[in-house]
Amino acid sequence: MSSSFGTLFRITTFGESHGAGVGVVIDGCPPKIKLSEAEIQIQLNRRRPAQSRLTTARKEADRVAILSGVDNGKTLGTPIALMVKNTDQRPADYGRMRSVPRPSHADYTYQMKYGIQALSGGGRASARETVGRVAAGAIAEKFLATQCGIEIIAWVSSVFSIEAPAPDMMRITRADVDKSLVRCPDSPAAEKMTVAIEEAQQAGDSLGGVITCVCRKVPGGLGEPVFDKAEALLAQAMLSIPAAKGFEIGSGFAGARMRGSAHNDAFIKKGDRLGTKSNYSGGVQGGISNGEPIILRVAFKPPATISLPQATVDFAGRDTVLEATGRHDPCVVPRAVPIVESMAALVIADLALRQKMRKNETVQ
Ligand SMILES: Cc1cc2nc3c(=O)[nH]c(=O)nc-3n(C[C@H](O)[C@H](O)[C@H](O)COP(=O)(O)O)c2cc1C
């Protein structure tokens, strides 16, 4: 079941990067949610290749088609199938890389595991697979926004060694994030990040970066200890994104360098509930949401496919030099922002449905 994720709101993605198309089947989406292709398209457009000069030049419109599960603009509660056709495949770009596995890509491990691999372009390891996640995430977000008022916003917080100051997490909007091509809401940092990515691109190299995500208005009580703790599912969701190499929630690794007296989130009364003064816990304690914003960070490595010459060996173990060809992202974080948002939405929608089931509430 390696292509499926979620318990009640369950998705299965399908498709290879250079095959006929990619998509997703969503099982367990509640009925009677208003839904159109146009709403799903908004997030797909933010993930799309060739959206700016900072992304791969592969030209895909990524037009989504709803094949099932929606009638007359409303979900039916039956499986929703979504499909996006691939239109700009160029398998010839990958000719040389068929005999030489790209260092730090998935060519070697896929071949070792399956004994066969898609002829070109990374197959399922390509970020094209995430089209299905983003399409499903848009539906999960619609459910969360309409049923619980939950808002999920992610942005680029660093690229290489350039770090942006933290924005006001309670107010930041997607419009603030999309003001810059790099999807960093701080304009001076965004400018520096843009220059750094362009320089790396011109040099045939690539850069890594970090995405921060806030999930606001998440009610307390979401998370299923002990193995399906909210942060455990979020970590799994985020680390399943191609090129994601690190996950933190709340204070994360920095918390390991603090004392308990400084790190503890003191309780205070917030309206009719208990809230916390600080939020080093990142909105989750004991694996259960506590009503504070969930704040997480995901670190992405520099993409592996670079055109600079790299000394390596071919599949037969013979020394060679690889200068990768094809169209590639010099830095994945601008396009990964909607992917992080979608994975967060999928986890929270699933946990919200599980909590409703626990409380014997129907979803309408
Ligand atoms: C939005 C996005 C775009 C990506 N674009 C590229 C790319 O153009 N070239 C590349 O080598 N890797 C790219 N990747 C990363 C690879 O898919 C990934 O590194 C590869 O599958 C190996 O998996 P791993 O890095 O998780 O170990 C991208 C990832 C994301 C999230």
Side-chain angles (χ1 to χ4, degrees), residues 47 56 102 104-106 122 124-127 130 239 241-245 300-306 327-333 335-336 339:
R47 195 220 70 94
T56 169
R102 284 169 291 175
S104 287
H105 210 287
R124 292 281 289 162
S126 158
T130 64
L239 292 175
I241 302 173
K245 294 296 150 196
F300 288 87
K301 75 180 193 187
T305 317
I306 54 174
R327 300 155 296 171
H328 296 282
D329 291 286
C331 178
V332 306
V333 287
R335 293 181 58 210
I339 308 175

Side-chain angles (χ1 to χ4, degrees), residues 26-240:
I26 304 143
D27 206 355
C29 179
K32 299 182 192 168
I33 298 173
K34 279 193 187 162
L35 188 68
S36 66
E37 286 170 351
E39 287 169 288
I40 302 169
Q41 196 62 48
I42 294 170
Q43 279 291 71
L44 285 176
N45 288 348
R46 297 176 82 223
R47 195 220 70 94
R48 207 163 65 79
Q51 60 181 270
S52 83
R53 61 181 194 273
L54 300 184
T55 67
T56 169
R58 177 171 170 171
K59 285 198 175 56
E60 294 284 355
D62 281 357
R63 284 272 152 239
V64 69
I66 300 177
L67 304 184
S68 71
V70 180
D71 193 27
N72 208 13
K74 282 191 181 163
T75 60
L76 295 170
T78 53
I80 300 173
L82 305 174
M83 166 99 184
V84 164
K85 285 189 180 152
N86 294 334
T87 54
D88 190 18
Q89 306 98 315
R90 284 194 205 160
D93 280 351
Y94 294 84
R96 168 122 170 87
M97 292 184 272
R98 244 170 260 164
S99 56
V100 184
R102 284 169 291 175
S104 287
H105 210 287
D107 308 326
Y108 178 64
T109 49
Y110 266 61
Q111 185 63 40
M112 262 202 328
K113 182 172 178 64
Y114 299 106
I116 185 171
Q117 54 177 313
L119 279 181
S120 59
R124 292 281 289 162
S126 158
R128 204 132 181 83
E129 178 275 330
T130 64
V131 163
R133 303 165 184 236
V134 171
I139 299 178
E141 275 200 62
K142 182 81 194 272
F143 162 67
L144 292 173
T146 50
Q147 302 262 326
C148 331
I150 292 174
E151 301 162 341
I152 300 173
I153 317 280
W155 62 94
V156 171
S157 44
S158 74
V159 165
F160 194 47
S161 58
I162 304 152
E163 229 165 285
D168 180 345
M169 296 206 196
M170 296 315 290
R171 285 171 195 273
I172 187 168
T173 64
R174 286 195 185 161
D176 297 331
V177 174
D178 287 353
K179 265 188 324 199
S180 71
L181 296 183
V182 73
R183 295 212 160 87
C184 170
D186 182 81
S187 302
E191 261 173 54
K192 285 185 201 151
M193 290 172 182
T194 305
V195 171
I197 295 173
E198 284 176 332
E199 280 175 4
Q201 192 174 31
Q202 276 151 26
D205 214 339
S206 65
L207 296 178
V210 175
I211 291 176
T212 301
C213 179
V214 61
C215 311
R216 298 188 292 239
K217 300 185 196 158
V218 179
L222 306 192
E224 300 289 324
V226 287
F227 294 114
D228 286 355
K229 290 178 176 180
E231 72 258 61
L233 292 181
L234 285 166
Q236 188 194 349
M238 298 305 159
L239 292 175
S240 73

